[in-house]
Amino acid sequence: MQIQNKQHQYHTSFGKFIKITGKPEKIALAKDMLWNIEKPHISLTKKGAKKDSLYIISGKEFSKFIDLTKNIYFRELRTNLEKYMPVKPKSQKISSLLKKLKNDKFKL
């Protein structure tokens, strides 16, 4: 008997914690486009004086964020996210994020 396994996994199971800074209009556009991604993720927006920040959390970092919400008041966690998360976020440009989202190449 011959057994063939043709299942391939092209995605990684590692978590992502990404920080994107840009103009409020582009941040809102990127947040709307993130709704097309089916994997569980959280996207939080932090308002700034001239630029807004968008945080995208998925994978293992998503689980850590959920664990933090059990012990910390959500508003405090949302406003000081970088302080409470155990890892620093990776920075990404808003233009590259929008380009990847338009081409369906952004992977969580």
Side-chain angles (χ1 to χ4, degrees):
M1 179 190 308
Q2 186 177 9
I3 299 174
Q4 293 180 351
N5 186 2
K6 293 189 179 190
Q7 294 177 346
H8 300 286
Q9 287 187 327
Y10 294 108
H11 59 61
T12 58
S13 62
F14 300 110
K16 287 191 178 183
F17 181 36
I18 303 170
K19 178 183 178 182
I20 298 141
T21 307
K23 293 182 181 180
E25 303 85 26
K26 290 190 176 186
I27 294 289
L29 177 65
K31 195 170 181 179
D32 289 340
M33 293 175 81
L34 280 170
W35 281 101
N36 296 331
I37 297 175
E38 297 177 10
K39 294 189 180 190
H41 72 280
I42 294 176
S43 57
L44 300 170
T45 308
K46 186 175 180 183
K47 304 282 182 188
K50 294 183 180 179
K51 292 185 175 184
D52 289 355
S53 298
L54 175 68
Y55 293 97
I56 302 170
I57 306 168
S58 68
K60 291 180 182 178
E61 303 304 325
F62 180 79
S63 299
K64 291 176 186 176
F65 179 80
I66 297 299
D67 290 339
L68 286 173
T69 59
K70 296 175 184 175
N71 300 324
I72 302 169
Y73 183 57
F74 185 73
R75 184 173 181 177
E76 176 67 23
L77 182 60
R78 190 181 71 178
T79 55
N80 298 319
L81 185 60
E82 290 184 49
K83 176 181 172 184
Y84 292 108
M85 287 296 282
V87 295
K88 287 185 141 189
K90 295 179 183 176
S91 296
Q92 194 172 28
K93 293 182 180 181
I94 187 70
S95 58
S96 66
L97 174 71
L98 289 173
K99 184 188 284 185
K100 288 178 183 178
L101 285 170
K102 286 179 184 175
N103 296 331
D104 291 330
K105 292 184 179 179
F106 183 73
K107 303 291 181 193
L108 286 178

